[in-house]
Amino acid sequence: MNDEYTPTYAVDDYEQITEGRATILFPRNNEVFYNPVQQFNRDMSIAAIKTWRDITAEAKLARYNRSTNPAKSKPSPKFTILEALAASGLRSVRYAKEIEDIDYILTNDLLADAVESIRRNAHFNGISQQLVRANQGDAISVMYAQRDKKRFSVVDLDPYGTAAPFIDGALHAVENGGLICVTCTDLAILASNNHPETCFAKYGGNPLKAEFCHELALRLVVHSIQQAANRQRRYIEPLMSCSIDFYVRIFVRVHDRPLMVKTVASQTGVVYHCRHCGSFATQPFGAIVPGKGDNTKFRIATAPTADSLCANCGSTQDIGGPCWIGPLHNTDFVQR
């Protein structure tokens, strides 16, 4: 994965671009894609990963302090990151320079030119090959290869277009309690009704042309991640979900908690939206009701919550989703 060699290059042949604490050498012939508009995405991702790191470390330390096993070792704060679609390597270089306690980052791309760029930029920024490990491979294959190995603490997906083809692999590659960071840049599909068939094929739900179209876009992506996780008996917890410019950026924590998977139907549903007055109603697919003692029962929800015509103005209603109708954010995470 990581060939030990020193890349050779002439600095004068490249344009230097500084972002955060990193300066990358950007080829003048544009051999590797760089998008300065996404700087906010990278800034936000650094803050999110740091916050996840702190919360995770605190939880591990609390469990250690409660333990009565004298042979138990104090947990290490170190963690690993997989950047599956790295391009120039800027994101990984920034992570390495701006986030503490990283064990290593596997910085992957399919193209040989991109991998050479990753090595060059890591070297130019004084980062060891053990910290930023450049790897050439198909992102999906790299992620699926982690199923029977030690999984990554953080998996970052930042493709050009939809992340849908990579979601299942990311869930195989991330550890219990780990963080998945997802970017989708196809808001033209997610936040309009121009191509509902394409949106449904990618994300498993229909978009709506509505005032809340960008929120629905987030909920469609979270729904697709949640469904992929549930098939592995895993549950994802949205920590922060943002719609920015032409893309969405979502951070979810992954839990190996089959019991929580049972709650997903009650947090998934469709949205009825009036074309004329804009009113809307949600219809969950499931319901949670009290059982005997402290037990709960999971049932199919009673339908419908709305008529085919709007109760306010009598106009025709459209149906959006299925989508995630649970929380999009973890309040403690966002506030920190």
Side-chain angles (χ1 to χ4, degrees):
M1 283 187 181
N2 182 42
D3 297 329
E4 291 290 344
Y5 89 108
T6 301
T8 57
Y9 52 90
V11 174
D12 292 340
D13 293 340
Y14 298 87
E15 178 183 356
Q16 296 187 32
I17 298 175
T18 299
E19 185 180 295
R21 297 181 188 172
T23 299
I24 66 165
L25 300 177
F26 185 60
R28 299 186 189 279
N29 61 357
N30 295 335
E31 73 183 44
V32 177
F33 181 70
Y34 169 73
N35 186 357
V37 178
Q38 290 275 18
Q39 179 175 348
F40 180 73
N41 181 327
R42 291 182 280 268
D43 292 342
M44 178 173 57
S45 299
I46 289 168
I49 293 172
K50 284 182 174 180
T51 303
W52 167 87
R53 176 205 61 195
D54 293 345
I55 292 173
T56 301
E58 290 167 8
K60 288 180 178 179
L61 186 59
R63 288 195 296 270
Y64 170 77
N65 290 334
R66 291 195 302 266
S67 175
T68 57
N69 182 1
K72 190 172 184 179
S73 300
K74 187 175 182 178
S76 169
K78 295 289 186 178
F79 65 98
T80 57
I81 299 176
L82 167 63
E83 186 185 1
L85 305 149
S88 68
L90 169 59
R91 185 180 294 267
S92 286
V93 170
R94 286 198 62 188
Y95 287 176
K97 292 179 76 73
E98 299 179 43
I99 303 175
E100 300 79 13
D101 297 325
I102 296 176
D103 186 8
Y104 71 89
I105 307 169
L106 185 65
T107 309
N108 180 77
D109 202 275
L110 181 62
L111 302 178
D113 286 343
V115 174
E116 186 62 27
S117 176
I118 294 164
R119 289 173 172 147
R120 182 171 57 243
N121 285 314
H123 179 266
F124 184 71
N125 282 271
I127 300 170
S128 74
Q129 294 181 35
Q130 288 303 309
L131 180 54
V132 172
R133 304 180 182 181
N135 183 72
Q136 183 178 1
D138 174 79
I140 296 174
S141 298
V142 170
M143 290 188 289
Y144 277 131
Q146 298 302 313
R147 285 179 293 185
D148 299 322
K149 301 178 182 178
K150 183 174 175 58
R151 299 185 179 191
F152 290 95
S153 311
V154 178
V155 175
D156 196 311
L157 299 176
D158 186 41
Y160 180 75
T162 179
F166 308 101
I167 296 298
D168 191 68
L171 285 157
H172 279 282
V174 73
E175 66 185 15
N176 181 32
L179 180 70
I180 298 181
C181 317
V182 179
T183 300
C184 293
T185 64
D186 55 344
L187 270 180
I189 300 298
L190 280 163
S192 75
N193 60 0
N194 293 329
H195 297 285
E197 76 289 351
T198 303
C199 185
F200 193 92
K202 290 181 178 180
Y203 301 102
N206 285 329
L208 288 172
K209 185 177 180 180
E211 291 182 356
F212 52 82
C213 62
H214 290 89
E215 178 184 342
L216 181 57
L218 293 169
R219 294 185 177 281
L220 287 167
V221 177
V222 171
H223 166 71
S224 68
I225 303 171
Q226 187 71 267
Q227 291 297 296
N230 296 166
R231 286 189 285 272
Q232 300 179 36
R233 302 186 71 196
R234 312 187 90 181
Y235 175 85
I236 63 112
E237 173 194 1
L239 298 177
M240 186 167 67
S241 308
C242 303
S243 175
I244 306 159
D245 297 329
F246 58 89
Y247 66 92
V248 298
R249 182 66 165 168
I250 296 171
F251 303 89
V252 301
R253 184 162 47 197
V254 180
H255 301 281
D256 290 340
R257 296 174 63 184
L259 182 60
M260 290 301 298
V261 174
K262 296 182 179 182
T263 70
V264 170
S266 63
Q267 300 180 86
T268 304
V270 295
V271 182
Y272 296 96
H273 174 251
C274 177
R275 297 179 184 177
H276 180 69
C277 72
S279 63
F280 67 93
T282 58
Q283 169 67 66
F285 289 143
I288 301 175
V289 297
K292 294 182 179 180
D294 296 331
N295 295 325
T296 56
K297 291 184 178 181
F298 302 92
R299 300 188 182 278
I300 297 173
T302 303
T305 57
D307 200 351
S308 59
L309 300 178
C310 176
N312 295 319
C313 68
S315 299
T316 302
Q317 298 204 100
D318 293 324
I319 299 179
C323 65
W324 175 254
I325 58 175
L328 285 174
H329 314 282
N330 177 299
T331 302
D332 178 61
F333 181 89
V334 174
Q335 288 177 341
R336 293 178 65 159

